[in-house]
Structure formats: structure tokens, C-alpha cells
Amino acid sequence: MKAALDTCPELKVEPVLELKPGIDLLADESTKAEMVVIGARGRGGFAELVVGSTAVALTARARCPVIVVRGKETAGGPVVVGVDGSPASEAALAFAYDMASRRNAELVAVHVWNDVISVWGGSVPIPDLDWDAVATDERIVLSERLAGWRERYPDTAVRQVVHENRPAQRLLHEAEDAQLLVVGSLGRGALANALLGSVSHALLHHAPCPVAVVKPE
């Protein structure tokens, strides 16, 4: 609390003390909050790569966006967001545009498409497709997703990234010099691992900057 007031003396701070588990208290407070900010666990070495169980559980249970502070926030860096066209992705895009506008930062919109299909638990390349045409179509898809938001935020510079396969790896790569990485997540509940999904989990555990997890309303 002292650090917050030292940084922003005009900030209104309202301490809350209740005899209940921290995750339950934070989840309850999230019902009336614009966002919840929580630190990632880890002190030195490999621990710095691993986010704590409280942060993971909260991102699944919270009723508002959750920012997990980890890695380093690069001053002047972009806000990076994953875009796949789902309702969760649209919510993440709305949040990312708002954050980029507030921070006068560039927005990097990342769209990843697959060039494989699942077969009996594995994956094989899709045969006989014009991959250049597919890539062009995917760039059009991303541009269409961004069109309405560009009208709302005309002063926010946007860079589009379209890549095939491995969405978590591409997002981590784009976030190397970012000040915030934004990802959408489906639903809420106790089963954090299932609800967040593999991409969200990879970002929470390995992102080089703070991560915002946003759910559709």
C-alpha cells in the first residue's frame, strides 16, 4: 500500500481485511472491480518462470480482467494481443485496445492459423492447399476483426502479425519487448487448468512481461 501511495499520492486506497482464503476474497472483490492485479510467485532461477497457483486460480474465477505481473514491463513497448475470432478473443481485443490507447502504445494484433489437421490424437499437414492463398485469407480475417476497433481508436497504431501454428510461441516471441500481453479465456470456475487452456497457461507461466487474462462477459 505504501509503495502505491508513494508512486501515486492522489490514489484512493481502501484496505480490505477478511477472515477468508485470499483467492476467495479476491474473487469476491472482482465482482465489483474494473480489473484485478496480482503478482506472480517466484524468487530467482526457475521459480521466476512459474506463476503461483493463486494467480492461475484467480484468472479462472475472477469476474473481471486479471493482470498477472511477471517478467518486466518494457517502457514504451507495445501491447500485444492474441486474436482468433472467438468471443474470448473479442473481449481480449477490446481490453487491449483500451490499454494501448490509455498508454499511448502501439498495439500488436497476433493471429495464428493452423496448417495441420488432427488425426487419431496426432496431426498431419493438410494436403493440396495453396498456402500462400490461405495466408492471404488469414490476413484478411485479421483485418476484418480489427476494422471496427480502428474506427473507435483512430489514434492507436496497430501492427498485424499473421503466422502459422504454435500460437503460444508466437505470442511469447512478440511479447519480448512488450509492456503487456493480453489473452482471452473461456468461462470461469474452479477448474482453472481446463478453463484457461494451454495457450493461456503457457503465457501465464512463461511470458516475459505482465499478462492480462480477459473473459467474454
Side-chain angles (χ1 to χ4, degrees):
M1 185 185 302
K2 182 179 183 301
L5 290 174
D6 288 344
T7 303
C8 189
E10 70 277 12
L11 188 68
K12 180 181 178 181
V13 178
E14 180 182 348
V16 177
L17 179 61
E18 292 190 25
L19 296 177
K20 64 169 63 175
I23 181 63
D24 292 338
L25 176 58
L26 290 170
D28 289 346
E29 289 295 316
S30 74
T31 62
K32 50 191 176 183
E34 180 178 344
M35 72 179 71
V36 173
V37 181
I38 188 171
R41 183 189 64 190
R43 292 189 178 89
F46 179 74
E48 292 181 352
L49 299 177
V50 182
V51 71
S53 59
T54 297
V56 172
L58 182 61
T59 54
R61 292 180 54 185
R63 302 264 177 175
C64 67
V66 176
I67 295 181
V68 179
V69 180
R70 55 165 296 115
K72 65 176 182 178
E73 179 179 334
T74 302
V79 173
V80 177
V81 60
V83 181
D84 65 10
S86 67
S89 168
E90 287 297 302
L93 190 56
F95 184 85
Y97 255 108
D98 182 56
M99 289 293 101
S101 177
R102 293 188 188 191
R103 301 178 183 206
N104 194 29
E106 178 189 36
L107 179 67
V108 178
V110 181
H111 176 64
V112 179
W113 53 278
N114 290 322
D115 61 1
V116 297
I117 55 176
S118 297
V119 178
W120 297 309
S123 59
V124 296
I126 303 174
D128 302 326
L129 280 182
D130 183 343
W131 295 116
D132 290 337
V134 172
T136 298
D137 289 343
E138 296 298 331
R139 283 193 286 270
I140 293 173
V141 168
L142 178 57
S143 293
E144 291 176 344
R145 292 293 178 188
L146 297 175
W149 294 108
R150 281 176 162 166
E151 294 177 3
R152 298 186 201 184
Y153 297 92
D155 296 329
T156 299
V158 180
R159 177 164 61 90
Q160 299 181 42
V161 175
V162 177
H163 200 267
E164 74 282 359
N165 283 335
R166 302 175 185 259
Q169 289 189 12
R170 177 49 48 178
L171 286 166
L172 290 173
H173 174 76
E174 296 295 335
E176 287 181 358
D177 297 316
Q179 56 179 292
L180 182 65
L181 174 58
V182 184
V183 63
S185 179
L186 298 175
R188 59 178 65 90
L191 298 178
N193 289 350
L195 292 175
L196 286 178
S198 59
V199 173
S200 298
H201 263 280
L203 301 182
L204 282 175
H205 287 285
H206 302 292
C209 66
V211 179
V213 178
V214 184
K215 302 182 187 71
E217 294 184 359

